[in-house]
Structures are given as C-alpha cells and as structure tokens.
C-alpha cells in the first residue's frame, strides 16, 4: 500500500508519454533519410572523393547496429529513460557537428554520433511496457514501433525540399533542433522506470558483438565497391563468422550476458527475430526502387523523369498510412493475437510487391503500391514488439527489443546490397550510359514479395502466446524486488 513520494505533482498522463516517445522515435528515424538528397553532391560539397563521402552513410549504419543492443542492455540495467536521453543527446550533438562542418572528417564524426541514437525506439517501447496501463499498451507500442516507418517516409520529402531551397547545412540544424526538443520533452515528461535488472555490464560481450557486426555490415555495405570476391570482402565475412561463433560461446558462459542467447532461442523470440530480418529486407527494397524508377528518364520507356522532391511526395503518404495502420494493428492483436497481425502484414506486403510488378508506369500506381505496403508495415511493426515483449521477462525488455530492431536493420542492409548488385548487373544502354533495366526492377519486386512470404512462413511457425502482453504489463507495475528504495 505504500507509495514512493518521489513526485509531489501529478505524473504525466499516458497519452503525453506516448506522444513524447513517438515524437522521439520519428525524429531519430528522420535521420536515416536526411542525407539522401545530398549524397550525390557530397564529393563536391566536402571536396572529397565519392568513395570517401560514402562513409557518411556507412558510418551511421555501423554505429546504429553497434549501439542498438548495447543501449537496450544498459537501459535494462541502469534506467531506460537515462539511456534514451543519452541517445537523444548523441543525435543532437552529431547533428550540430555536421551542421558546422565543411569537410569530411567532422561529417563522419557527426554521422557516427547520429547513428548512436538508434536505440531510441526499442528503449521507448520498453518504457511503455513499464509505465503504461495494460489497456493502452498494445496501441501505444504499435505507434512507437511504426514511428520508424513514419519518420523514414516523411523524411525524404522534407529533406528534398530543404536541400532544394536552402543551404544543405539547414538539414542538420533542423535535426539538431528537433533532437533538442525531443531531449527536453523526454526529460520533463517521461518518468524513469523502476524496473531495472542491475548487475555488471558485459563488456567483453559488447565488444564481440560490435566487432562481428562491423565486419558483417561493412562487408555487406561496401562489398559492391570492393568486389564481392575480393580478399577484403571475403575476409570480413570470414571474420564475422569467427567472431560471432566466439561471441556466442562466451555469451552462453557468462552469468549476465549482453544478449541472453537462451532466451533468444525460445521459439517465439527466435521466429519473431527471423521474421523481423525478412521484413527488414522486404520493406527497405521499396524505398530503394521507387526513387530510381521515378528519376530515370522518360525516354527509357519505364522511367518517369521526376525530381527528388516528387520522389519524396510519392513516398510521403506511406508514412501517413503506417500511422493509421498502427492502431488497427493493435486492435487485431488484442482480439486475435499479434501472430495473426504479423501474418496479415506479411501477406499485405507480398501483395503490394506482386502488384508492383505490373503497376509501375504511372505516379498514381507507385503511390497506391507504397500505401498498400505501408499498411503491411504498420501491421508488422505493431506486432513485432508485442511478440517479443510477450515472451521475455520484464527485466530483459530493452535488450530484447533492441535485438529485434537490430535484426530489422541487418535485413535492410542486406536489401540495400542485393538491390545494388541487381541494378548494377541488369542494365540497358541509354545514350551510351548503362542504366538499370526494367527487368531489374521487376526482379527486385519479386524478391521483395518472396521475402515477405518468407516472413509469413516464419510468422506461421510462432507458437501461441502463453499469456497476454496486457497481463504481463500489469506485472511490470509491481515493485521490482531488485530495487531497494
């Protein structure tokens, strides 16, 4: 019956907490598309070769992959709000550094810091599990998880408009301002969770996971430039295998591992994570092929000859559709279970890609297809965290959500590499230049459809949940025995 008198004023309402956390998630996901409009111009803007300026994208990818599981585990141990604030400060600092830069080195440093903020969404999901009443948890986690798709879709038109009409530094000043607003609102309005596991941080495990991820993602993201059969690329793939095997051996023998592999091997967690990887691949392919189709010359017979701002406007409705689909996703999950929601999301995405093979010649067709896939994204991204949180202890929510987010990121990286290879290999001659052929886009659409069907198959293998997430959420509000006042 005793209450801790830590706050004299009334705590923020759950709606306020959800709004602040979702805003923070959208701000971080905007960072992914922020640099896209200026990537072709970076060599001139930074006075550096294109092979070096590409690190402005690669550095963020690597930093995000390494930071996400570490931030999740630290959040479980020492406080999720603390790590959320740390991540947002990294985003704000990185954006400010890039906004002040005119050369490559500070650009890469700033983009590294921006990548270190990638743990915001899994941390936000974990805070929701700890703090929200059970009846609000499903819809709120769906919205928070969907913020990744919302920010990515809305970021491109905003970034394209700013890049076309203002100095490119304004992109990052805007990111810094949004990051600062998110930091302040989290500081003022989001409570710190009382659910903490404590213990000792697995430094060796974090170093091993970081090393393996860097080798794997570096090989995937740069293999096209270096050559897939080159010694560097093959060496990195081999290094990733060796490091991950050693890391797994170490984690199974550590009392407080960074990632509890025994929990990860549970069927519900394992198949959800594998489905997340397949979804990451399938969903990102759309973001890669639509811009190219829209910008290729009309004279090719399949290109639409539009500018980057139009590309952004075509993709923007997808973000709004994801936002609308998220609450519908939660209603289906509450009524029928998140397994069914995830399966429906996979089928909708697969149907979108199948239609895209035959509907790619008009702008309205691409808008329609992106909206169909957006519905699938909203369903899938709403169901994934519910499946994860329904299968892991409350004390491991942060690290489990972070690992699921990491699997999605690995899927998007593989999609980027595979798409690049296909577009480079299946070309047609246009005025003396090799351009991606129409069939190359259809092949990618077919692969995207296939990846979504793989996600459906993996989802169908999920066991029935033993208990509802709502019931488990109620337990999260009980006093944590490990924490003494």
């Amino acid at each position: 019956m005793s209450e801790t008198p830590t706050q004299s004023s009334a705590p923020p309402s759950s709606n306020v907490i959800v709004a602040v956390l979702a805003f923070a998630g959208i701000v971080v996901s905007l960072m992914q598309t922020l640099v896209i409009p200026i990537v072709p111009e970076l060599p001139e803007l930074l006075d550096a070769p294109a092979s070096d300026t590409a690190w402005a994208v690669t550095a963020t990818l690597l930093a995000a992959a390494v930071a996400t599981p570490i931030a999740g585990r630290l959040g479980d141990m020492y406080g999720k709000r603390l790590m959320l604030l740390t991540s947002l400060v990294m985003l704000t600092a990185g954006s400010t550094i890039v906004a002040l830069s005119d050369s490559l080195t500070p650009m890469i440093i700033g983009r590294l810091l921006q990548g270190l903020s990638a743990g915001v969404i899994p941390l936000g999901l974990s805070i929701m599990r700890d703090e929200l009443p059970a009846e609000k948890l499903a819809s709120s986690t769906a919205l928070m998880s969907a913020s990744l798709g919302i920010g990515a879709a809305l970021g491109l038109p905003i970034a394209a408009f700013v890049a076309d009409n203002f100095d490119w530094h304004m992109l990052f000043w805007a990111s810094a301002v949004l990051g600062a607003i998110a930091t302040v609102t989290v500081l003022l309005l989001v409570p710190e969770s009382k659910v903490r596991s404590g213990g000792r941080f697995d430094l060796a495990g974090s170093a091993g996971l970081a090393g393996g991820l860097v080798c794997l993602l570096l090989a995937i993201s740069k293999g096209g430039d270096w050559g897939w059969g080159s010694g560097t690329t093959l060496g990195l793939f081999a290094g990733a295998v060796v490091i991950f095997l050693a890391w797994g051996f170490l984690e199974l023998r550590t009392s407080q591992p960074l990632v509890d592999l025994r929990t990860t091997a549970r069927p519900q967690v394992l198949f959800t994570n594998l489905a997340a990887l397949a979804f990451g691949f399938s969903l990102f392919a759309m973001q890669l092929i639509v811009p190219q189709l829209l910008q290729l010359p009309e004279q090719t017979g399949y290109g639409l000859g539009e500018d980057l701002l139009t590309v952004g406007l075509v993709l923007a409705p997808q973000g709004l559709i994801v936002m609308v689909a998220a609450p519908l996703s939660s209603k289906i999950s509450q009524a029928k279970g998140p397994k069914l929601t995830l399966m429906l999301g996979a089928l909708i995405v697969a149907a979108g890609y199948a239609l895209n093979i035959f509907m790619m010649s008009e702008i309205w067709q691409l808008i329609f297809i992106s909206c169909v896939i957006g519905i699938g994204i909203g369903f899938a991204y709403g169901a994934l965290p519910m499946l994860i949180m329904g299968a892991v202890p409350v004390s491991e929510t942060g690290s489990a959500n972070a690992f699921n987010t990491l699997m999605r990121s690995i899927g998007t990286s593989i999609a980027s590499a595979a798409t690049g290879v296909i577009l480079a290999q299946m070309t047609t001659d246009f005025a003396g230049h090799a351009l991606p052929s129409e069939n190359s886009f259809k092949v990618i659409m077919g692969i995207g459809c296939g990846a979504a069907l793989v996600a459906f198959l993996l989802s169908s293998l999920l066991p029935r949940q033993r208990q509802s997430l709502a019931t488990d959420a109620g337990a999260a509000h009980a006093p944590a025995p490990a924490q003494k006042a």
Side-chain angles (χ1 to χ4, degrees):
M1 291 276 301
S2 62
E3 289 187 347
T4 54
T6 54
Q7 293 183 344
S8 57
S9 59
S13 71
S14 56
N15 288 338
V16 170
I17 294 172
V18 171
V20 169
L21 292 175
F23 173 71
I26 291 171
V27 169
V28 170
S29 60
L30 282 171
M31 175 266 301
Q32 296 182 345
T33 51
L34 195 67
V35 76
I36 290 177
I38 61 170
V39 164
E41 302 171 26
L42 283 178
E44 181 181 350
L45 295 172
L46 302 176
D47 192 25
S51 58
D52 291 341
T53 59
W55 284 97
V57 177
T58 306
T60 309
L61 167 72
L62 297 178
V66 170
T68 299
I70 293 175
R73 179 60 181 151
L74 288 172
D76 284 338
M77 294 174 66
Y78 304 121
K80 302 176 183 76
R81 176 176 174 267
L82 173 62
M83 290 311 302
L84 182 65
L85 287 168
T86 303
S87 298
L88 289 170
V89 168
M90 293 284 192
L91 172 66
T92 306
S95 300
T96 303
I97 290 172
V98 179
L100 293 170
S101 69
D102 283 305
S103 59
L104 183 62
T105 300
M107 164 69 85
I108 292 176
I109 292 172
R111 292 288 290 166
L112 273 169
L113 289 172
Q114 285 185 318
L116 294 177
S117 68
V120 163
I121 291 176
L123 287 166
L125 289 167
S126 304
I127 291 173
M128 287 178 175
R129 187 190 194 186
D130 294 346
E131 299 300 322
L132 298 185
E135 65 273 11
K136 283 186 170 289
L137 186 57
S139 59
S140 300
T141 54
L143 178 61
M144 184 69 197
S145 184
S147 67
L148 182 63
I150 295 167
L154 297 180
L156 189 56
I158 295 170
F161 175 79
V162 173
D164 284 347
N165 294 279
F166 302 95
D167 180 79
W168 68 273
H169 293 89
M170 288 298 297
L171 290 169
F172 297 95
W173 282 123
S175 176
V177 170
L178 290 172
I181 293 172
T183 304
V184 172
T185 53
V186 168
L187 185 63
L188 295 177
L189 299 173
V190 176
E192 179 59 274
S193 170
K194 300 179 182 65
V195 181
R196 303 185 194 180
S197 63
R200 180 180 299 173
F201 182 66
D202 181 13
L203 188 60
S206 63
L209 181 60
L213 286 172
V214 168
C215 288
L216 175 65
L217 294 177
L218 198 56
I220 291 172
S221 60
K222 303 294 285 185
D225 296 331
W226 295 337
W228 294 104
S230 70
T232 302
T233 303
L234 294 177
L236 284 169
F237 277 127
V241 171
V242 172
I243 292 172
F244 279 134
L245 288 174
W247 173 75
F249 181 85
L250 175 69
E251 292 295 274
L252 289 171
R253 285 154 181 77
T254 301
S255 58
Q256 296 177 330
L258 176 72
V259 178
D260 188 338
L261 294 180
R262 292 181 177 84
T263 298
T264 306
R266 294 175 184 171
Q268 183 159 318
V269 180
L270 176 63
F271 287 119
T272 302
N273 283 331
L274 291 175
L277 189 149
F279 263 112
F281 183 101
S282 181
L283 300 177
F284 195 62
M286 184 70 181
Q287 302 288 334
L288 295 170
I289 57 177
V290 168
Q292 297 219 38
L293 272 173
L294 284 166
Q295 293 181 91
L296 283 172
E298 289 184 84
Q299 293 84 349
T300 59
Y302 50 91
L304 299 178
E306 301 292 342
D307 58 18
L308 191 61
L309 180 58
T310 303
V311 172
L313 293 173
V314 167
L315 290 175
Q318 186 183 76
L320 303 176
I321 291 294
V322 171
M323 193 182 301
V324 172
L328 179 58
S329 161
S330 71
K331 285 184 172 64
I332 298 173
S333 294
Q334 288 174 307
K336 301 295 184 179
K339 173 182 174 177
L340 177 63
T341 310
L342 190 63
M343 293 171 68
L344 284 174
L347 288 178
I348 292 170
V349 171
Y353 276 109
L355 287 172
N356 204 181
I357 295 175
F358 306 101
M359 298 174 63
M360 54 182 281
S361 59
E362 301 286 345
I363 288 180
W364 72 265
Q365 294 176 348
L366 296 178
I367 294 175
F368 173 73
I369 295 299
S370 69
C371 288
V372 170
I373 292 177
I375 296 172
I377 294 173
F379 278 30
Y381 280 14
L384 286 169
M386 291 186 69
L387 287 162
I388 289 294
M389 291 189 290
V392 301
V394 176
S395 60
E396 296 179 19
T397 303
S399 56
N401 275 323
F403 195 77
N404 185 259
T405 302
L406 174 63
M407 295 297 284
R408 275 190 262 175
S409 298
I410 292 174
T412 61
S413 300
I414 296 172
S416 179
T419 300
V421 170
I422 293 168
L423 294 178
Q425 295 298 318
M426 299 181 67
T427 61
T428 184
D429 182 75
F430 178 77
H433 299 281
L435 295 180
S437 66
E438 182 177 11
N439 283 336
S440 70
F441 292 106
K442 292 184 176 182
V443 167
I444 294 168
M445 294 167 195
I447 293 174
C449 178
L453 291 175
V454 169
F456 172 81
L457 176 62
L458 291 166
S459 304
S460 71
L461 298 175
L462 285 165
R464 292 180 178 271
Q465 283 184 275
R466 295 188 306 273
Q467 62 177 6
S468 70
L469 183 55
T471 303
D472 186 60
H477 298 283
Q483 277 299 107
K484 287 283 185 183

